[in-house]
Structures are given as C-alpha cells and as structure tokens.
Amino acid sequence: MSNLYNQAAGATKEALGNVTGNKDLADRGRKQWAEGKGEHEIQKDSALREENNPNLHRTGDSMKQAGGAAKEKLGQAVGNERMESEGRAKRAEGVGSAQYHDKLAGNR
C-alpha cells in the first residue's frame, strides 16, 4: 500500500476509534499512520539524496544494461524469444535510467 494511503487510513481508523471508544482501533490507526509517515520520509530522503548525487546510480544503470544485453544474447543463442525480449527490455531500462541520471548530473 502507498504511504499516503496508510496515512489517510490510519488517521481515519484512529479518529473512528477515538469517537467510538475503541482503543484498539485507535492504536492500530495511529500505528498505520506512523508507518505511512515513515515511508513518506524515507522516500523524500531518497529523492533528495538522488537529486544531490545522481552518480550514485551509475553502477546500477550499467549493471542493468550489461545484464539485459547478456540475457538478450543468451535468448538469441538458445532461440528463446521471451528471454531475448526480457533482456532487451532490461537493457533499455538501464539506458533510460542512465540518461535520466546523466541529465540530473548535468552531463547531457
């Protein structure tokens, strides 16, 4: 579930629990809200870290490209079209990701 959903659902459960006097429901709602809030903070921190240092992902981008190319070639070699297609898609994902991170770094 998304962090915003958890925050909204948790707040609703907590309020309903408080109104109805159901302490267990209120506690579960408070816990769900806190989990959603924590997930949201982690995502914000990750995005900020990526924005400040886009080169963090350079190795991962290269690995996606290399792994995808290898899977694509293996699929070609053994005549497995599905494997070839999955490899091509993974390689393209790595290329796109690298272009995005290059743009963030101001390299292109």
Side-chain angles (χ1 to χ4, degrees):
M1 283 186 252
S2 77
N3 55 17
L4 296 177
Y5 171 83
N6 279 331
Q7 285 179 277
T12 302
K13 287 177 187 176
E14 181 181 7
L16 186 58
N18 288 334
V19 168
T20 62
N22 185 335
K23 184 178 177 338
D24 183 52
L25 181 60
D27 289 345
R28 285 185 306 185
R30 198 169 10 267
K31 181 181 176 197
Q32 186 175 2
W33 178 86
E35 288 172 358
K37 182 69 172 169
E39 291 168 5
H40 180 70
E41 292 302 317
I42 289 169
Q43 286 177 350
K44 279 181 16 184
D45 289 347
S46 178
L48 183 60
R49 192 169 39 254
E50 181 178 318
E51 186 176 306
N52 289 336
N53 190 0
N55 291 324
L56 287 173
H57 299 283
R58 182 95 41 224
T59 302
D61 297 341
S62 295
M63 292 300 292
K64 282 181 188 174
Q65 291 177 49
K71 189 172 186 176
E72 181 180 6
K73 294 298 180 191
L74 181 60
Q76 289 172 350
V78 299
N80 186 328
E81 291 180 11
R82 180 175 177 203
M83 181 184 287
E84 182 181 347
S85 176
E86 288 173 356
R88 190 176 306 113
K90 183 58 85 176
R91 183 172 48 84
E93 180 184 339
V95 169
S97 193
Q99 290 171 345
Y100 169 76
H101 291 119
D102 282 345
K103 187 175 181 179
L104 277 180
N107 295 336
R108 290 185 186 190

